[in-house]
Amino acid sequence: MLVLGVTGSLAMGKSTVSAMFAELGAAVWNADSAVHALYAGAAAEPIGAAFPGTLRNGTVDRAALGARVTGDAAALAKLEAIVHPLVQAAEIEFRARVAASGRRMIVLDVPLLLETGGERRVDAVVVASAGAEIQRARIAKRGMEPARAAALIARQMSDADKRRRAHFVVDTSGDMATARRQVSDVLRALAGKVGA
């Protein structure tokens, strides 16, 4: 089974690229979605104990938690110590379920794949990338607060470094049809490995 890691900096089109792989038959696991589920499940109680006042009706209030950890390296490390093992367990469970189903390709959609050494868990790394002006415009369109965007970008490796470390780069600066062709090109390049 082929395992691709898809990553990219904030607002570079990572989730869009992952969705294109899904359209072409890949089983996609999204790390952000796994965290969202954990915040409403297994991670809620330990996070609430570590960060009092961050739960609402048994679910982590992401805004309250973000306010507690943004700019505080020790608090962020404490949060990661709670969440990362649970996310890893969710990924392992997903891989096992997909392997049992007979699917031939998994895409791991992980924002900090390269920053956390996640490239060791995949057969190839695909980086979604776009120009800096496009990234800024997409962030503005999302309505994300500049301080939050800056904090997220500060945690991420630069786009140039990600591109250098990638096996494949999908440029999302243009139209989606062009990006979709690039995704198809990646699959063609990896055709011999699918099912291995």
Side-chain angles (χ1 to χ4, degrees):
M1 183 168 58
L2 182 71
V3 181
L4 295 181
V6 175
T7 193
S9 298
L10 179 65
M12 290 291 195
K14 171 184 59 63
S15 295
T16 299
V17 168
S18 292
M20 291 174 182
F21 278 109
E23 290 168 8
L24 295 170
V28 176
W29 182 80
N30 183 290
D32 284 340
S33 295
V35 170
H36 284 261
L38 288 166
Y39 279 7
E45 189 175 316
I47 289 173
F51 302 96
T54 59
L55 294 187
R56 301 286 179 268
N57 302 315
T59 298
V60 174
D61 180 327
R62 294 175 65 86
L65 181 61
R68 293 285 293 278
V69 302
T70 299
D72 184 336
L76 184 59
K78 182 194 276 191
L79 175 63
E80 289 174 345
I82 295 167
V83 176
H84 284 184
L86 296 170
V87 172
Q88 289 169 358
E91 179 189 321
I92 290 166
E93 190 276 331
F94 175 82
R95 284 177 178 248
R97 191 170 68 246
V98 173
S101 77
R103 301 274 291 272
R104 300 182 337 176
M105 184 173 46
I106 288 177
V107 166
L108 302 179
D109 180 328
V110 183
L112 299 177
L113 182 78
L114 296 172
E115 292 85 345
T116 59
E119 67 270 22
R120 294 187 299 269
R121 305 192 320 264
V122 302
D123 298 307
V125 173
V126 178
V127 168
S129 180
E133 288 183 18
I134 290 171
Q135 181 188 33
R136 284 192 292 274
R138 288 174 180 169
I139 290 170
K141 188 175 181 180
R142 290 179 183 183
M144 184 177 288
E145 293 180 13
R148 175 158 168 70
L152 288 171
I153 290 170
R155 292 185 62 211
Q156 297 178 338
M157 182 183 296
S158 73
D159 180 56
D161 285 341
K162 285 183 178 179
R163 291 171 69 100
R164 277 193 289 275
R165 293 179 60 181
H167 296 94
F168 303 96
V169 175
V170 175
D171 186 343
T172 65
S173 297
D175 61 80
M176 290 302 102
T178 300
R180 195 169 277 109
R181 280 195 298 274
Q182 293 173 57
V183 167
S184 295
D185 289 345
V186 170
L187 292 180
R188 276 194 290 277
L190 294 170
K193 293 186 177 184
V194 174

